[in-house]
Amino acid sequence: MATLQPGVVLWPGLLDAAAQAALVAEIFVLLKDAPLYRPTMPRSGKPFSVEESSFGPLGWVSDVKGYRYAPVHPFTGKPWPAIPQMLMDLWDAQTRYPAPPECCLVNHYSEDAKMGLHQDRDEADFDAPVLSVSLGDDAFFRIGGEARGGNTARVKLASGDVLMFGGPARLAFHGIDRIVPGTSRLVPGGGRLNLTLRRVTKKDARPGG
Ligand code: MD3
Ligand code: FE
């Protein structure tokens, strides 16, 4: 375990090869129900280079109208599949947060995909950390501070690595510069999968407010 900066904890290779393979197999089954699709940017409608889907009661979506969490898949109209138990257990073990994740966002990077520097601020609860699992090809991850334009650090993420962002890092700018194609054979068809487990609503929120 390594603390990369305040609030950023990395567990390199926390998932062994067998756990990675079991997780990827389970994800591909769930993606038959909630297929990867290419979101578009708010306003411009420019397509993402990353393909996405979600698991759990709320999925993160982006389209010309904006970013938001939604209870159904934007193309199938069906509820998202449940988050795999293995990820629910990983959340408990690593975060010890007293409420379960509500969204597992699935990002798929093929060789030319990247994700620009951004903050994750569509959630109502910034007390909860975000837990990220990397699978497949290596990627160069970039993280800065809470202000755009500050110094950033680059970290190479490999398959099986687990990262937690909480406290002072919860609103840090971050992104993926690029993946390193062909560095793993884990993901069918190649590329990288990233899973981010998130709380979306406040822990003590009640329906209706
Ligand atoms: C730091 N995903 O889905 S995971 C995202 O590898 C996202 O697909 C990247 O950024 C990926 O929003 C990076 C690491 C990550 C995720 C959430 C964070 C870092 C974070 C939230 C706050 C601070
Ligand atoms: Fe993010």
Side-chain angles (χ1 to χ4, degrees), residues 8 50 52 105 107 109 115 118-120 130-134 139 141 143 157 163 165-166 169-176 192-196 198:
V8 182
V50 175
E52 297 190 334
L105 175 62
N107 292 139
Y109 297 77
M115 188 178 284
H118 66 278
Q119 292 171 298
D120 288 17
V130 174
L131 193 71
S132 147
V133 179
S134 292
F141 172 68
I143 184 159
L157 296 178
L163 260 174
F165 303 84
R170 179 62 184 77
L171 290 173
F173 276 87
H174 60 279
I176 294 289
R192 170 175 186 262
L193 283 173
N194 179 264
L195 311 173
T196 50
R198 301 131 183 265

Side-chain angles (χ1 to χ4, degrees), residues 91-120:
W91 169 272
D92 287 342
Q94 306 312 125
T95 71
R96 305 187 180 212
Y97 193 74
E102 296 166 296
C103 175
C104 174
L105 175 62
V106 182
N107 292 139
H108 178 263
Y109 297 77
S110 48
E111 61 181 335
D112 294 323
K114 54 191 163 49
M115 188 178 284
L117 278 179
H118 66 278
Q119 292 171 298
D120 288 17

Side-chain angles (χ1 to χ4, degrees), residues 11-25:
W11 292 273
L14 183 67
L15 302 186
D16 66 17
Q20 293 172 41
L23 186 53
V24 168

Side-chain angles (χ1 to χ4, degrees), residues 128-196:
V130 174
L131 193 71
S132 147
V133 179
S134 292
L135 296 166
D137 285 341
D138 293 348
F140 287 107
F141 172 68
R142 190 167 290 279
I143 184 159
E146 287 192 17
R148 190 181 280 283
N151 288 338
T152 61
R154 194 177 78 154
V155 181
K156 190 167 164 178
L157 296 178
S159 196
D161 290 359
V162 176
L163 260 174
M164 182 170 72
F165 303 84
R170 179 62 184 77
L171 290 173
F173 276 87
H174 60 279
I176 294 289
D177 290 351
R178 64 180 178 91
I179 73 162
V180 191
T183 46
S184 164
R185 301 188 50 180
L186 183 70
V187 175
R192 170 175 186 262
L193 283 173
N194 179 264
L195 311 173
T196 50

